[in-house]
Amino acid sequence: MAEVLVLVDHVDGEIKKNTYEMLTAARRLGEPSAVVVGTPGTATKLAEGLAAHGAEKVYVAESDDAVNFLSTPQVDVLAALVERVSPPAVLVAGGADGREVAGRLAVRTNSGWLNDLVEVDGEREGTHSIFGGAFTVQSSATTDTAVISWRSGSIEVEENAAAGTQETVEVPSIDAARSAKVSNRAPIVGGDRPELTEATVVVAGGRGVGSADNYNVVETLADSLHAAVGASRAAVDSGYYPNQFQVGQTGKTVSPQLYIALGISGAIQHRAGMQTSKTIVAVNKDPEAPIFEIADFGIVGDLFSVAPQLTEEVGKRA
Amino acid sequence: MNIVVLIKQVPDTWSERTLSDGDKTLDRASSDAVLDEINERAVEEALKIKEAGDAEVTILTAGPDRATDAVRKALSMGADKAVHVNDDAIHGSDAVATAKVLAKAIGTVGEVDLVLAGNEATDGRSGAMAGMIGEVLGWPSLTHANALSVSDGTASIKRETDEGTCDVTASLPAVVSVGEKINEPRYPSFKGIMAAKKKPVSTIGISDLGLDASEVGLEGSLVQVDSFAPRPPKSGGQKVEDEGDGGQKIAEFLVGQKLI
Ligand SMILES: Cc1cc2nc3c(=O)[nH]c(=O)nc-3n(C[C@H](O)[C@H](O)[C@H](O)COP(=O)(O)OP(=O)(O)OC[C@H]3O[C@@H](n4cnc5c(N)ncnc54)[C@H](O)[C@@H]3O)c2cc1C
Ligand SMILES: Nc1ncnc2c1ncn2[C@@H]1O[C@H](COP(=O)(O)O)[C@@H](O)[C@H]1O
């Protein structure tokens, strides 16, 4: 069976859940091979998780250069492997870094790039959800290899014990004069809460929350549900909550089982980032707020009384 | 310094966006079009470099006739001239084909030192054009900049994405993509708007770029759209007035849905 390459998304020696989704999706197309690009010693920490989720092979590309240059090491390693194993597909995580790797790899190997897929079938037919979920688009690559960037949170992860046989591959030496050098890397670590794009439940606050201090109402409810915290752009712009938590067209796209919107009006650009959530609950003072048009359950009321009461109710049932 | 700024006309997100039935491409005629906000920031950044020293700023876009409006807007902000690649053959290009077209078009501007782009357009969301163009040209790409400085043949940025921050440096020529936080773009002045009308815009086709119609557009794309369908809009469910038990009501609903 053909090998399908999956670039492992990892930070601080831990695999991101998205990688497991990609391994699950890769299995439909062939035999998943995980590709680890990192500093020496990285693969050892990741090996077990990769094998448990279906990686028959693990290509280990380790070098200090892996973190000293911007996306070039990943592109170089993947391009060499594409040349060698002619995979029907290469899957890369759909974040900013992953998309950059995907786009460059597509140029380098002259492959079709299927960006932001939420589904792929055994015939390499990919599904995108565009314009904030208003349209579903089916597309495919006309080239031998498809480069796929994967939207996290799109499919259920399947465990699948596999060999996980490790093979060391080279990180090609990088022409420093023609590459972008990186220093002072500071990954954003999410703390104890689940990552926004991977969470099963998201609780988000908007301008209605009123201040940064008040945001603890949102956080407390989120914690009772083991949820990630999100924010509207108005909440971010007003300084209530940090930028990386923004949901919407210019923020993150989330598709959790449950999305709870507190004090968010539901502008089209916000909806673009959350309307494919399976269940939507909204709390808003204004009965005419557009968020109610897409909410499965809405309470017209003050978030400062409804949210704490809900937190308490969830606590009782925990 | 010779700077090229890549700009793109996008459908206004406030208007309805749709796809055309015929060739399954973005139906650009059905929605209002605007200069993408992020591109205004790219233009602003180029103008700041020009004002701090000496630079010529060329606007470059690949798009239909209507993209002229976006070009004029960028010129009215203060850019010097523009190149508009306008060719029916380009219609339907995928990201790889677009990168090839733009890379070739950059070549028409002479010895370019710096290319500035937006990090992610509001329509396509490929969000990788700068890296892809860098790849075609063999130049380094410095992406998602929230600060940029250029000196002694080197570009340095502060990079910021959802995944984290870092510093990136590379020697020129290079491609830089800017993020939302890099600056606040200026409004065109009346004088700027008047001056823009006289600034040179060279409109070229793909043959001027040495490209063949089979290399671009739907034909030259490596990805094909097979079908699309509107998703039935999500309809609202229950909406109840809070009577002091709103939190409990939600909890009951969530229990009913087996969500808690
Ligand atoms: C190009 C572009 C991109 C954009 N990208 C994004 C994006 O990515 N994400 C995004 O979110 N927005 C985005 N926006 C902005 C968007 O248009 C809206 O302005 C924004 O979503 C509004 O945020 P909000 O709902 O929090 O604020 P508002 O619209 O001001 O709504 C606040 C709501 O809170 C309610 N409220 C107030 N007090 C209470 C209370 N005590 N209890 C209950 N309810 C209360 C009010 O009734 C109101 O409905 C973008 C806009 C543009 C032009
Ligand atoms: N057709 C185009 N013409 C000029 N610039 C473009 C074009 N497409 C993309 N770009 C540039 O690439 C950036 C990112 O676009 P995208 O890759 O579509 O998200 C945009 O902000 C522009 O700067």
Side-chain angles (χ1 to χ4, degrees):
Chain A
M1 222 197 299
E3 276 184 61
V4 181
L5 303 178
V6 173
L7 180 66
V8 176
D9 192 11
H10 60 93
V11 67
D12 289 344
E14 289 196 32
I15 300 170
K16 294 217 203 167
K17 187 179 147 209
N18 197 1
T19 303
Y20 296 144
E21 287 185 42
M22 293 192 287
L23 287 169
T24 303
R27 192 156 277 281
R28 299 178 195 152
L29 302 165
E31 219 165 69
S33 294
V35 181
V36 175
V37 181
T39 48
T42 306
T44 319
K45 296 182 209 146
L46 314 181
E48 201 179 323
L50 296 173
H53 290 86
E56 295 295 347
K57 262 195 199 160
V58 179
Y59 290 107
V60 180
E62 292 181 337
S63 153
D64 287 326
D65 269 355
V67 292
N68 292 339
F69 293 93
L70 193 59
S71 65
T72 303
Q74 287 78 5
V75 176
D76 287 355
V77 168
L78 288 172
L81 283 168
V82 167
E83 173 101 349
R84 191 178 122 188
V85 307
S86 307
V90 182
L91 285 86
V92 177
D97 292 350
R99 286 204 307 263
E100 192 162 314
V101 170
R104 289 184 57 186
L105 183 67
V107 168
R108 179 91 62 95
T109 60
N110 203 39
S111 303
W113 174 22
L114 303 174
N115 183 25
D116 202 24
L117 288 197
V118 296
E119 192 51 87
V120 66
D121 70 13
E123 307 297 309
R124 290 202 314 171
E125 185 77 22
T127 306
H128 317 249
S129 164
I130 64 162
F131 300 158
F135 281 88
T136 310
V137 177
Q138 304 285 332
S139 68
S140 53
T142 55
T143 48
D144 292 343
T145 296
V147 177
I148 293 173
S149 40
W150 189 260
R151 186 188 295 184
S152 114
S154 304
I155 56 166
E156 292 288 330
V157 168
E158 288 166 21
E159 289 203 17
N160 206 318
T165 313
Q166 294 188 27
E167 183 187 327
T168 303
V169 293
E170 190 196 9
V171 179
S173 74
I174 289 170
D175 179 359
R178 300 182 132 227
S179 304
K181 288 181 275 304
V182 171
S183 57
N184 296 327
R185 260 183 209 271
I188 291 177
V189 277
D192 293 338
R193 296 200 181 93
E195 201 186 314
L196 191 49
T197 54
E198 300 187 337
T200 318
V201 181
V202 172
V203 180
R207 201 197 307 272
V209 176
S211 73
D213 285 347
N214 290 349
Y215 227 85
N216 68 10
V217 174
V218 182
E219 291 186 324
T220 319
L221 175 57
D223 290 340
S224 76
L225 292 159
H226 307 292
V229 177
S232 74
R233 175 150 156 189
V236 169
D237 287 350
S238 312
Y240 304 168
Y241 221 61
N243 182 57
Q244 72 260 31
F245 298 99
Q246 182 176 315
V247 172
Q249 183 189 297
T250 40
K252 297 222 165 122
T253 304
V254 301
S255 198
Q257 295 298 317
L258 172 63
Y259 188 91
I260 303 183
L262 304 172
I264 293 177
S265 61
I268 186 165
Q269 297 92 349
H270 185 78
R271 281 152 56 156
M274 48 66 74
Q275 64 190 354
T276 55
S277 304
K278 311 294 173 298
T279 301
I280 297 170
V281 170
V283 181
N284 197 303
K285 283 204 292 210
D286 173 9
E288 303 300 322
I291 191 77
F292 289 125
E293 292 163 17
I294 56 161
D296 299 282
F297 193 81
I299 295 284
V300 181
D302 188 343
L303 74 92
F304 295 107
S305 60
V306 178
Q309 189 178 57
L310 176 56
T311 307
E312 199 184 308
E313 292 294 321
V314 174
K316 282 187 204 161
R317 287 169 169 88
Chain B
M1 205 164 50
N2 194 359
I3 305 177
V4 172
V5 186
L6 304 178
I7 66 157
K8 182 175 177 182
Q9 174 112 320
V10 297
D12 190 347
T13 60
W14 290 102
S15 58
E16 191 85 32
R17 291 179 294 176
T18 184
L19 297 169
S20 56
D21 284 314
D23 59 5
K24 310 183 192 84
T25 57
L26 185 63
D27 186 351
R28 293 185 192 270
S30 79
S31 43
D32 298 335
V34 293
L35 171 58
D36 206 356
E37 189 183 285
I38 197 71
N39 293 152
E40 293 179 26
R41 299 184 200 274
V43 174
E44 176 67 36
E45 209 51 30
L47 296 177
K48 277 165 63 183
I49 296 172
K50 179 181 158 87
E51 283 155 6
D54 184 27
E56 167 144 89
V57 178
T58 306
I59 300 301
L60 170 59
T61 193
D65 293 347
R66 293 205 302 166
T68 329
D69 297 342
V71 169
R72 287 289 165 207
K73 170 127 195 224
L75 291 174
S76 66
M77 287 174 72
D80 299 299
K81 60 188 175 62
V83 176
H84 181 175
V85 187
N86 186 352
D87 197 318
D88 289 343
I90 299 174
H91 176 77
S93 295
D94 66 359
V96 173
T98 303
K100 287 180 194 160
V101 169
L102 293 174
K104 286 273 191 209
I106 289 164
T108 67
V109 184
E111 292 278 305
V112 172
D113 302 292
L114 181 65
V115 174
L116 282 163
N119 61 346
E120 185 175 304
T122 45
D123 60 345
R125 292 202 71 133
S126 82
M129 198 45 73
M132 295 173 81
I133 291 169
E135 190 68 42
V136 178
L137 294 170
W139 296 0
S141 47
L142 304 87
T143 53
H144 303 277
N146 70 17
L148 166 67
S149 63
V150 179
S151 64
D152 301 332
T154 301
S156 307
I157 66 158
K158 297 236 172 263
R159 182 178 198 259
E160 178 173 351
T161 68
D162 290 340
E163 282 138 282
T165 57
C166 62
D167 298 338
V168 185
T169 59
S171 36
L172 299 179
V175 188
V176 171
S177 77
V178 306
E180 261 193 292
K181 286 199 213 153
I182 194 156
N183 58 40
E184 277 309 319
R186 69 195 64 188
Y187 288 105
S189 64
F190 179 70
K191 214 175 115 208
I193 293 168
M194 297 316 287
K197 296 190 173 147
K198 296 192 210 79
K199 288 179 177 169
V201 177
S202 90
T203 303
I204 56 176
I206 55 161
S207 59
D208 301 305
L209 300 177
L211 287 166
D212 186 79
S214 65
E215 297 172 79
V216 298
L218 290 169
E219 209 187 325
S221 292
L222 308 176
V223 167
Q224 67 189 35
V225 175
D226 300 313
S227 65
F228 70 90
R231 269 170 67 118
K234 203 167 160 50
S235 50
Q238 275 186 70
K239 180 169 73 177
V240 290
E241 197 79 35
D242 179 28
E243 284 162 358
D245 59 352
Q248 287 157 6
K249 287 259 175 63
I250 297 176
E252 283 159 24
F253 170 78
L254 295 180
V255 169
Q257 301 288 310
K258 300 200 167 56
L259 285 163
I260 53 173

